[in-house]
Amino acid sequence: MPKRSEEMLMDLWMSLLLVWITCVPCVSMTPIAGQSKSTQSGGSTAVASGLGEGQRLLSRAKRGWVWNQMFVLEEFSGPDPILVGRLHTDLDVRNKSIKYVLAGEGAGTIFAIEPLTGNIHAMKRLDREEKAEYTLTAQVINAETDEPLEPPSEFIIKVQDINDNPPQFIKGPYRASVPEMSAVGTTVTQVTATDADDPVYGNSAKLVYSILEGQPYFSVDPNSATIKIALHGMDREMREEYLVVIQAKDMGGHMGGLSGTTTVTITLTDINDNPPKFSKSLYEFVIPEDLPTGKMGGKVKANDRDIGENAKSTYNILEGDEQGMFEITTDTQTQEGILRLKRPLDYESKKAYTLKVEATNIRSEPISGGPFKDTATVKIVVEDSDEPPVFSKPIYFLEVNENAPIDTVIGAVTARDPDATGSLVRYVIDRHTDLERQFNINVNDGKITLAKPLDRETDMWHNITVTATESRNHSQISRAIVAIRVMDINDNAPEFATEYEAFLCENGKPGQVIQTVSAVDKDDPIQGHYFDYRLVPEMLNNPNFTIKNNQDNSISVLAKHDTFRRQKQEMYFLPIIVTDNGNPPMSSTNTLTIRVCGCSKDGIVQSCNVEAYVLPIGLSMGALIAILACIILLLVIVVLFVTLRRHKNEPLIIKDDEDVRENIIRYDDEGGGEEDTEAFDIATLQNPDGINGYLPRKDIKPDLQFMPRAGQHSGPNGVDVDEFINVRLHEADNDPTAPPYDSIQIYGYEGRGSIAGSLSSLETASSDSDQNYDYLREWGPRFRRLGELYSVGESDRET
């Protein structure tokens, strides 16, 4: 606690103590024994007071004292414990055999009692804000035996409040806002302070509010702490934020009271109280005449001191744009007016424009009396540019007859250079639009002529693009579309609408309609089609059929009699001439095929072929064809089965004559001796290890040479059949040239472990030193030379 507060507390304590001593006769207590009725005259009464031991005890005959509580000041601190009060009983008549005991809240820790005198002391500094009162129990007991002499009596010690807590703004600091230009007295916000002191006792918790900073703009109500506008015409554009300091003081604001402060940041919110204002009264722009429509030609800006929605403006053209050449829109990000072209400019037609532009606020405030506006003048100068040629029309429509001769002039296109220089124009057909090159154009005058014959029935319309280029600047190009319509002439004869095939019942009646025939014509005459049907002159007196015009460009073919028989004639051909009404008329002869069929009594066709009479068993030709196909299929299956059985019975081992792999070659004549090196290749008798364990495949065509793999060679004298076969199996599995079928590999050498021994002494596993070739001399004169060779070999090794 500050030093000033301690001095005030000490002064207050001394004042209360004097008042207490003066008013002691007025303070009455309940007897410790709990007696509330008057006692006998001369009897002593229990008294509790705040007097010292040296003061005289007051008594009142025939009436008991009423007491139930004691008081002690909070925050008292001194060198000695503070005396709270004194307990006394009638049993205490200088009797040393009794003592007082204290129990309850804080007994022995906060409060202590002198056993002999009954004086109660506060041992610690008390704080009312922590605990306002304590409930204790006092009792008189025998000092020697500790037996209670009276029942316990309960009383309360209340902690009296002093002004030791300043006001506090729990929710501070505060932020508030109020619209600018608000009237005086407009409420901004309300603040609240709290005081932990006792609001009932004295004025310790009575708060009064005042403003320390923020005048003369704001004021505060001293009781409710409501902050209000105090100055008229507060403009956000001049100052937007204010810092207000509010003070709350207890003791009703009197001297000696404690105080607390808080800050309130008040922001003025914007209203639309400022009009838009163009930064310049006159804007000048130079726009090239070839600027595309929709592109920006310039920017204008109307500044507004307001913010947010209040600063947004729209732009309009008020005067000077009678032809609707321009438009102005608002950039939502920068609030600028964007001037754009709506129509192309033409320097030769008009070289300058003067526009009057207006900027208007979107929002308006009631106090402003309407939306704010501002105007500016925009002067636009059109800059001359080298423009491409301009066609007289964007699209040209031309017509030409399909029978027009080559080089016929179909029409012409015209274009001019809009520039003042007036350059010559050259015309070209874009061949991407005329891939068949059916048209030509004169490069100088733009006349379009026919280059190839036309056929309306193939293409009725031809759409080509013509380009016009300045002769002095080939980069200036413009294009126009030319739509050429091919006009129809009567160059196609009518023909049957489809391939008709009529059916006539043998039992039909004369005059019965066999078929209704119509025609089509690829031409498209303006007056429409009208077809004339007639039989060829050779068939005018046809005894079998006649035709009737249905008056709808179709005819009906009628039978003249009922004696048609399939046995006599199965099919009739009726040629009919069809003629159109064109100029000149075109005609064609079309043949109607009529089949004679057998029908039921109801006229339903059952069979139209003669085989019904040929097959007495009633089988149709289709059934016969199906039976024949089944027989052929069975024969094919039998042939395949026999062929497979024959291949299956063939031996898998290749004959000696067909074996092209390693084998013994038999000769019917004697060789040329040792000098004959071409008669037989000794390599065919080599062991597979002799060529690094690789035998070329001879059962397939070696399109891709398969090389033996490194690291898979067996030793020259260490051939093992099982290992050799595994190696060959691995190579066969990984050989890309191997066929996708199984084959038998036959190897021309003998494995180990044969009881008969080796048939050849070449490439054997044993060394040459172990061999004895003397037996070769015993085989006859034919092997003598061979024995000598081996003998020489041994002598050479020994040497």
Side-chain angles (χ1 to χ4, degrees), residues 140-270:
V140 179
I141 63 175
N142 191 307
E144 297 176 356
T145 63
D146 290 337
E147 294 180 359
L149 302 178
E150 290 182 350
S153 179
E154 185 179 90
F155 64 99
I156 296 174
I157 298 178
K158 287 189 175 183
V159 182
Q160 286 185 319
D161 183 51
I162 64 172
N163 189 21
D164 59 340
N165 291 282
Q168 292 182 348
F169 292 90
I170 305 301
K171 298 181 180 180
Y174 297 85
R175 298 192 68 90
S177 61
V178 63
E180 63 174 331
M181 297 297 177
S182 296
V184 176
T186 302
T187 299
V188 179
T189 187
Q190 185 179 22
V191 297
T192 303
T194 58
D195 196 319
D197 293 326
D198 191 356
V200 179
Y201 180 79
N203 294 327
S204 298
K206 184 178 181 181
L207 305 181
V208 174
Y209 298 90
S210 61
I211 184 169
L212 301 182
E213 294 182 18
Q215 294 174 330
Y217 308 104
F218 302 96
S219 63
V220 64
D221 186 277
N223 298 318
S224 63
T226 301
I227 301 175
K228 300 180 180 180
I229 296 291
L231 185 63
H232 176 73
M234 297 179 66
D235 191 0
R236 186 200 65 82
E237 288 71 32
M238 298 298 295
R239 183 177 177 183
E240 183 176 6
E241 192 172 87
Y242 296 85
L243 184 64
V244 179
V245 179
I246 302 297
Q247 174 183 267
K249 190 174 184 180
D250 59 12
M251 298 299 293
H254 295 100
M255 184 178 297
L258 304 179
S259 63
T261 60
T262 188
T263 59
V264 183
T265 303
I266 300 175
T267 303
L268 298 183
T269 58
D270 184 60

Side-chain angles (χ1 to χ4, degrees), residues 302-422:
N303 299 311
D304 196 322
R305 297 177 62 192
D306 296 322
I307 60 175
E309 293 293 327
N310 298 321
K312 292 183 179 181
S313 300
T314 58
Y315 296 87
N316 299 293
I317 299 176
L318 300 180
E319 300 175 2
D321 189 26
E322 291 77 12
Q323 298 177 355
M325 304 292 294
F326 305 95
E327 66 177 354
I328 188 168
T329 58
T330 304
D331 189 330
T332 57
Q333 299 296 328
T334 63
Q335 291 301 307
E336 292 177 317
I338 309 299
L339 188 66
R340 303 179 188 275
L341 283 183
K342 290 180 63 179
R343 299 174 58 186
L345 296 175
D346 187 7
Y347 173 81
E348 290 72 23
S349 299
K350 192 171 183 178
K351 299 178 174 58
Y353 297 86
T354 301
L355 310 178
K356 186 177 181 179
V357 179
E358 179 186 63
T360 306
N361 276 151
I362 296 177
R363 295 182 60 181
S364 61
E365 299 289 344
I367 63 173
S368 63
F372 293 111
K373 303 178 181 179
D374 192 23
T375 59
T377 301
V378 178
K379 186 176 181 180
I380 300 172
V381 177
V382 181
E383 183 182 38
D384 188 21
S385 301
D386 190 6
E387 302 174 85
V390 178
F391 281 94
S392 59
K393 300 177 183 178
I395 301 178
Y396 292 84
F397 293 94
L398 304 179
E399 294 181 350
V400 61
N401 292 328
E402 61 178 329
N403 64 343
I406 304 301
D407 295 332
T408 299
V409 178
I410 302 173
V413 296
T414 58
R416 65 175 182 86
D417 184 8
D419 298 324
T421 56

Side-chain angles (χ1 to χ4, degrees), residues 768-774 777 789-799:
D768 293 339
S769 61
D770 299 333
Q771 298 291 334
N772 185 8
Y773 301 101
D774 294 338
R777 300 175 181 176
L789 291 176
Y790 278 92
S791 300
V792 172
E794 291 180 357
S795 62
D796 291 341
R797 284 193 297 269
E798 293 175 357
T799 303

